[in-house]
Structures are given as C-alpha cells and as structure tokens.
Amino acid sequence: GWRLGMFLEFSVTFNQRGQPQARSVVWDPIPLVLGVPDTPSVSQGTGSGAIQRAFSPATLRKVKKLLGHLSDPNEREQREVAVVTAIDLQGVPTAKNSNDADRDIDYVAFVLNRLGDNMMDAASCLKDFVKMLLLLICKALIKWFKVLTETINPHSDNVAAHFKDVTQQIHGHVETALRDNLAFADKAMAQMLSDANRRLADKSV
C-alpha cells in the first residue's frame, strides 16, 4: 500500500473554522518516461492498481525547484524559466552506472501539466526559441506514437478488453490536436500523426 516518503501533491483550502484542508490530491504527480533501462520498478500501489514509488532526495529537489518557478502564476517570465529548466533537466544524459536512479522522470510533462488549462495563454508566455525546443520534443513523441501504433498487438493479454475504448479516446484527442494545434501546420508531422491514428483505429475493428 501507500508508504511514508511517497510523493503526492495537493492544494490547501480552509474550512469554516479556519482549519486547513487538503483538496485536489494527486497521488502520482510525477510523470515518467516509459522504457528507460535500469530504472526502479514501480513500488507497491493501492488495490486499485495505481502506480506509485518513492523518489530520491535529488529528484525531489529538482521538482521543488520547478514548482518554485511555477508558484506565482502571474509571473509569466518564471513560467518560461520553469519550461527551460525542465528541458535542461530532461536533456542531461546520465551514465547507466550513475547513482541517479530516477533517470525516467518526465520533467517537461511535469511543468507543462502545471501551466494552466488555457494552453494558448500558457504558450503566449514562451519565447519562440523555447517553443522550437518543445516542438523538437513533440516531434520525437509523434515518431514514438507512430512506432507504437505499428507494433502494438490489440489482441494481447490485458489489452484486448480495453483497446477499442482507448483507441476511441485517442482518436478524439488526435483529431482535436490536428484541427486546433498550430504545431501541425507542419504538414509532414500532421500527416504522420493522422496516418498513425488511422492505423490504430483500423486495429480496433
């Protein structure tokens, strides 16, 4: 089950008596990059199958540094600093035999998830150079999306029962992105994503 030392995130409000109350608890707030070799296996989770693990003190210092930049939503410059810092943390290569056990932390996703629900407003605080760096990351993710749609077996154990519902959700998200996201003015990238989305839909039939 859940253990002391595991990381979680929450907001604080006050009840009518002025007592602090935790709200909007996120039990697994640190996203991971899947497939990174020699990183810790997930620790015990809850009975519902949630994934949780404890992180090293060095990782928590990095995360707290990012949260420090994000703590004032009115400081637009700090939001950009948070994005650039996350890109730097993500891009620092770590030797396989180093003591950094948390090489699979997705710092960029951690920051982007906290820039607010209005993505257009969040993007407006970023300089074009930073947007270009993020586009490079997004392009890599789209290539991964393409590869995964080519290689996933929809009939394998633990997949078949959920595959159709999951692909329908993905299809809706991709169609929205292709329609509304200015990044897909790049026709080659848009075509790659569209073809991969269609391939995934074909596998769900």
Side-chain angles (χ1 to χ4, degrees), residues 50-192:
I51 297 174
Q52 237 327 352
R53 88 172 190 220
F55 294 95
S56 70
T59 294
L60 298 187
R61 285 194 295 271
K62 295 173 185 176
V63 169
K64 288 179 180 178
K65 180 179 180 180
L66 295 174
L67 289 175
H69 292 307
L70 294 168
S71 60
D72 187 350
N74 296 318
E75 287 291 337
R76 300 172 70 85
E77 183 178 338
Q78 288 301 306
R79 296 164 77 181
E80 182 178 72
V81 171
V83 173
V84 173
T85 303
I87 292 173
D88 288 341
L89 290 173
Q90 195 111 343
V92 175
T94 306
K96 181 177 179 180
N97 60 352
S98 76
N99 293 325
D100 186 1
D102 297 327
R103 298 190 306 279
D104 54 346
I105 303 298
D106 192 339
Y107 294 103
V108 172
F110 180 84
V111 169
L112 294 180
N113 289 342
R114 287 158 179 78
L115 290 182
D117 295 329
N118 189 331
M119 297 178 68
M120 292 298 292
D121 180 67
S124 69
C125 75
L126 303 178
K127 292 184 177 68
D128 288 324
F129 180 76
V130 177
K131 293 177 183 177
M132 181 179 67
L133 295 178
L134 285 174
L135 280 173
L136 290 172
I137 295 174
C138 291
K139 192 166 185 178
L141 292 176
I142 291 172
K143 289 180 178 179
W144 266 107
F145 183 79
K146 173 180 179 292
V147 170
L148 292 173
T149 62
E150 292 173 346
T151 58
I152 190 170
N153 177 6
H155 306 295
S156 63
D157 294 342
N158 301 323
V159 171
H162 310 285
F163 190 76
K164 187 171 184 178
D165 289 340
V166 170
T167 54
Q168 287 176 347
Q169 294 178 45
I170 292 172
H171 179 78
H173 293 316
V174 170
E175 290 298 310
T176 299
L178 289 171
R179 183 182 67 246
D180 299 337
N181 196 322
L182 297 178
F184 293 112
D186 182 333
K187 293 183 178 179
M189 189 187 301
Q191 189 63 52
M192 182 188 301

Side-chain angles (χ1 to χ4, degrees), residues 163 197-205:
F163 190 76
N197 194 35
R198 189 179 306 110
R199 184 181 306 110
L200 198 60
D202 290 343
K203 286 190 174 185
S204 69
V205 175

Side-chain angles (χ1 to χ4, degrees), residues 20-31:
Q21 307 288 308
R23 294 287 185 270
S24 305
V25 179
V26 180
W27 295 99
D28 194 15
I30 301 183

